[in-house]
Amino acid sequence: METNPIPVLTIQTTPFDDQRPGTNGLRKKTSVFESKKNYLQNYIQSVLSSIDLRDRQGCTMVVGSDGRYFSRAAIEVIVQMAAANGIGRLVIGHSGILSTPAVSCIIRKIKAIGGIILTASHSPGGPAGDFGIKFNIANGGPSPDTVMERIYQVSRTLEEYAICPDLHIDLSRLGRQDFDLENKFKPFRVEIVDSVEIYLNMLRGIFDFGAIKSLLTGPEQLKIRIDAMNGVMGPYVRRILCDELGAPANSAVNCVPLEDFGGQHPNPNPTFAVSLVESMKGGEFGFGAAFDADGDRCMILGQNGFFVNPSDSLAVMAANLSCIPYFRQAGIRGLARSMPTSMALDRVAKAMKVALYETPAGWRFFGNLMDSGRCSFCGEESFGTGSDHIREKDGLWAVLVWLSVISVRKQGVEEIVKDHWVKFGRNYYCRFDYEGVDPRAAYYLMRDLEAVITDKAFISQKFAVGNNVYSVEKTDNFEYIDPVDGSVSRNQGLRIVFTDSSRIIFRLSGSGVGVGATIRIYAESYERDPERHSRETGIDQSLAINNGVMDLLLLPLQH
């Protein structure tokens, strides 16, 4: 305990006009947070002030990071400001490290008012990289639109922030650290906790660890290759997959969290997880996975580098949830996917006779569904999958689901996926990202494209792509009415839906960091015939964006 009370200071500042949080919080180049005076402090104050003062006084919050550059400096500021703003206790991961799923888990476990996660997900780290601040609410999930708007409105008029600049903590020392503050009746407490333990205990209650351990160590041992991509997941992979479940130590690679992720993009896809893909192509390993920086997304690979499209992974997992003790006990109340995610999950929901919810992109939309008991399992096409065990997508949980399915079915990844296609049909699917688009041009493109596709003359048109003919059934600008609270989210993406359920979707993304807008184009083509399930996913086979279709769509858009 400090002998002399630590002073609480009020610092004058001026507001910034660019602190509106996006889909995944506030993301900027690291240099903006590091070098722009009071930029970090202003945003943290806006987050804290968005919490009602009566709820804030003496409450508990969780803080964690994916270990990227500037995280330690930012955590110190967050601690100093939390203390000054009346927070009673902070729970922080050892060395500042906590995966996003672990933060969600701890918030729910200790009934915290929320948590601050320092991450820019799959974006690069280091001084020239990206940095982000995400605020999760009391259910453990991302902030809904109402909370993000409240934070933004505070940031626009902020004139001062409170801080205890003389308060310093030791992130390397597990346990409690108490501090007396001026004009505060109770000491401010910081608890440094093991980054893995609470999350691991939760997983023990969900999965049959004995069965998974037998799979990884028994006579028919499944050899796995797990790439943590030098992000937050290294300690989790080592502790859970290797120490707890018996996978050999050399099963896990790139497990040391680095501030710059080793100079790589911690993005779990075939483009950036190249070393994993090459390792899997050799045939030595039967299962492979890679995680993003904060551990909420993962890529799944089978033997010989067989790539499982995230939308397929979502559907296959849903169809096999009975392999997981948690779901055998709790049952399946409903499934959910983001609108751009392929409709493969819809076919599983229909077969299971459970509700299927289609939401806008962004994990926050699943929270209400799960909190109200409507949804048990959900996911997005961007490599994120999760369930109602927490309120975030969860990469390692998804890996354990896959290992559980393999253990029960006694099949490899590729065989499981292809059996799924035979039963449900295959949804060929791909996504194209156009980044750095001039925001004004992006706005006009989407506006004019909407006018083209919603014109009555466009409905029932036919497009020939290879040997297939696609007939337009309906078009719209996706709008979501939350079945729980009735809130409406408009302008969530332009959809062209064909009579066979194939789709083309155009969407402006809200998760970018760089200059300019990002336009994402998604293409999906459904194939029932098993004889046509082995084609490569490409522009032809997934509708992709056939030149003739694009010419027709974009011709009226020239300015």
Side-chain angles (χ1 to χ4, degrees):
M1 186 78 69
E2 296 285 338
T3 53
N4 295 318
I6 297 172
V8 177
L9 304 184
T10 300
I11 307 297
Q12 300 302 305
T13 188
T14 54
F16 296 93
D17 61 5
D18 64 344
Q19 292 194 334
R20 179 187 288 276
T23 303
N24 295 294
L26 184 68
R27 288 189 189 173
K28 301 287 181 183
K29 301 303 291 184
T30 306
S31 58
V32 173
F33 286 101
E34 187 175 28
S35 303
K36 207 178 253 193
K37 185 180 179 182
N38 290 341
Y39 195 86
L40 170 66
Q41 289 84 346
N42 273 32
Y43 191 70
I44 297 303
Q45 185 64 60
S46 299
V47 169
L48 296 173
S49 295
S50 73
I51 304 169
D52 187 278
L53 182 61
R54 291 167 297 182
D55 297 327
R56 194 167 76 226
Q57 294 300 316
C59 75
T60 297
M61 289 185 69
V62 180
V63 178
S65 80
D66 62 13
R68 69 181 57 232
Y69 175 79
F70 193 58
S71 291
R72 281 178 170 268
I75 288 173
E76 182 161 78
V77 170
I78 291 168
V79 171
Q80 293 170 347
M81 294 187 66
N85 279 273
I87 304 297
R89 177 174 68 142
L90 287 184
V91 175
I92 306 175
H94 187 227
S95 299
I97 293 288
L98 276 179
S99 72
T100 291
V103 170
S104 183
C105 168
I106 295 172
I107 289 172
R108 295 172 64 80
K109 175 73 174 177
I110 66 175
K111 296 180 169 54
I113 199 169
I116 294 175
I117 310 172
L118 304 179
T119 179
S121 188
H122 57 274
S123 298
D130 301 328
F131 193 80
I133 303 173
K134 180 178 171 183
F135 178 61
N136 280 26
I137 59 174
N139 74 349
S143 297
D145 290 345
T146 51
V147 173
M148 291 194 292
E149 182 63 24
R150 196 155 63 237
I151 293 170
Y152 175 58
Q153 292 304 328
V154 173
S155 77
R156 294 179 62 206
T157 57
L158 193 70
E159 295 182 347
E160 61 185 29
Y161 63 85
I163 191 168
C164 298
D166 296 335
L167 194 161
H168 301 287
I169 62 168
D170 183 356
L171 289 173
S172 67
R173 179 163 61 89
L174 291 171
R176 297 175 177 176
Q177 301 170 42
D178 288 347
F179 303 89
D180 272 337
L181 308 180
E182 280 185 353
N183 303 319
K184 304 289 183 182
F185 295 110
K186 292 184 178 179
F188 171 68
R189 173 168 290 173
V190 174
E191 293 183 25
I192 308 299
V193 299
D194 184 287
S195 302
V196 181
E197 188 62 32
I198 297 174
Y199 175 75
L200 169 57
N201 282 333
M202 176 191 66
L203 295 179
R204 288 190 182 112
I206 295 173
F207 297 99
D208 183 345
F209 269 29
I212 299 174
K213 187 169 186 175
S214 295
L215 176 72
L216 300 180
T217 62
E220 302 295 324
Q221 177 191 8
L222 176 71
K223 296 189 69 175
I224 64 174
R225 186 76 162 181
I226 310 296
D227 191 343
M229 301 191 82
N230 294 121
V232 76
M233 288 307 293
Y236 295 84
V237 170
R238 292 280 190 208
R239 179 88 166 273
I240 298 172
L241 287 174
C242 298
D243 298 347
E244 184 85 8
L245 295 172
N250 61 6
S251 301
V253 296
N254 298 318
C255 284
V256 178
L258 300 175
E259 289 191 334
D260 65 349
F261 311 116
Q264 305 300 313
H265 282 240
N267 197 345
N269 64 38
T271 301
F272 293 106
V274 178
S275 61
L276 175 66
V277 173
E278 292 304 314
S279 295
M280 294 301 298
K281 283 181 179 178
E284 178 185 357
F285 303 101
F287 178 88
F291 300 102
D292 68 345
D294 64 321
D296 60 354
R297 305 169 196 258
C298 74
M299 174 180 69
I300 302 297
L301 297 174
Q303 196 165 24
N304 302 314
F306 180 82
F307 171 68
V308 184
N309 183 284
S311 292
D312 280 338
S313 181
L314 179 67
V316 170
M317 291 165 68
N320 291 278
L321 288 177
S322 61
C323 297
I324 316 300
Y326 176 85
F327 293 104
R328 287 201 300 270
Q329 295 163 10
I332 312 296
R333 289 182 292 278
L335 308 178
R337 63 167 175 82
S338 65
M339 182 273 288
T341 303
S342 96
M343 297 173 70
L345 184 68
D346 304 38
R347 304 180 195 284
V348 176
K350 184 177 180 180
M352 295 172 68
K353 296 184 170 61
V354 298
L356 185 285
Y357 299 93
E358 183 178 35
T359 72
W363 204 260
R364 64 192 184 278
F365 291 102
F366 296 133
N368 268 3
L369 297 174
M370 291 187 283
D371 287 348
S372 65
R374 286 171 166 82
C375 174
S376 301
F377 176 82
C378 51
E380 298 186 312
E381 51 76 33
S382 52
F383 295 87
T385 316
S387 84
D388 57 0
H389 67 292
I390 56 173
R391 295 297 181 268
E392 279 283 5
K393 43 192 175 286
D394 191 343
L396 186 52
W397 172 90
V399 165
L400 294 179
V401 170
W402 265 100
L403 293 176
S404 299
V405 173
I406 293 169
S407 171
V408 170
R409 293 188 51 167
K410 313 297 184 191
Q411 293 174 297
V413 172
E414 183 172 356
E415 190 177 0
I416 290 170
V417 172
K418 289 185 173 179
D419 278 359
H420 182 91
W421 291 341
V422 169
K423 182 176 181 179
F424 293 98
R426 182 177 182 184
N427 290 69
Y428 284 95
Y429 183 90
C430 58
R431 182 180 105 180
F432 303 83
D433 293 354
Y434 296 88
E435 299 175 329
V437 179
D438 177 82
R440 187 170 177 271
Y443 165 79
Y444 284 118
L445 185 147
M446 295 296 287
R447 185 197 68 178
D448 293 354
L449 179 57
E450 181 175 3
V452 171
I453 69 170
T454 55
D455 189 284
K456 289 183 179 180
F458 191 80
I459 304 298
S460 77
Q461 287 204 40
K462 293 180 171 58
F463 301 97
V465 181
N467 296 323
N468 294 332
V469 175
Y470 297 92
S471 300
V472 177
E473 181 175 66
K474 77 168 188 175
T475 62
D476 64 7
N477 190 335
F478 181 61
E479 178 178 291
Y480 178 66
I481 301 175
D482 191 301
V484 180
D485 61 20
S487 59
V488 180
S489 300
R490 298 184 171 87
N491 301 313
Q492 295 298 315
L494 304 178
R495 300 189 295 180
I496 304 171
V497 182
F498 298 92
T499 53
D500 68 344
S501 298
S502 298
R503 302 184 302 165
I504 297 178
I505 295 163
F506 297 79
R507 189 176 74 87
L508 273 175
S509 173
S511 60
V513 177
V515 177
T518 297
I519 297 175
R520 305 197 197 281
I521 305 178
Y522 311 81
E524 175 179 9
S525 180
Y526 178 66
E527 181 56 68
R528 190 72 187 88
D529 184 1
E531 297 297 319
R532 297 165 63 85
H533 286 172
S534 298
R535 297 177 294 163
E536 289 295 318
T537 299
I539 290 182
D540 294 347
Q541 291 77 13
S542 54
L543 273 183
I545 313 294
N546 175 271
N547 289 336
V549 177
M550 285 302 287
D551 287 347
L552 181 74
L553 291 177
L554 300 180
L555 186 61
L557 306 185
Q558 308 301 320
H559 283 276

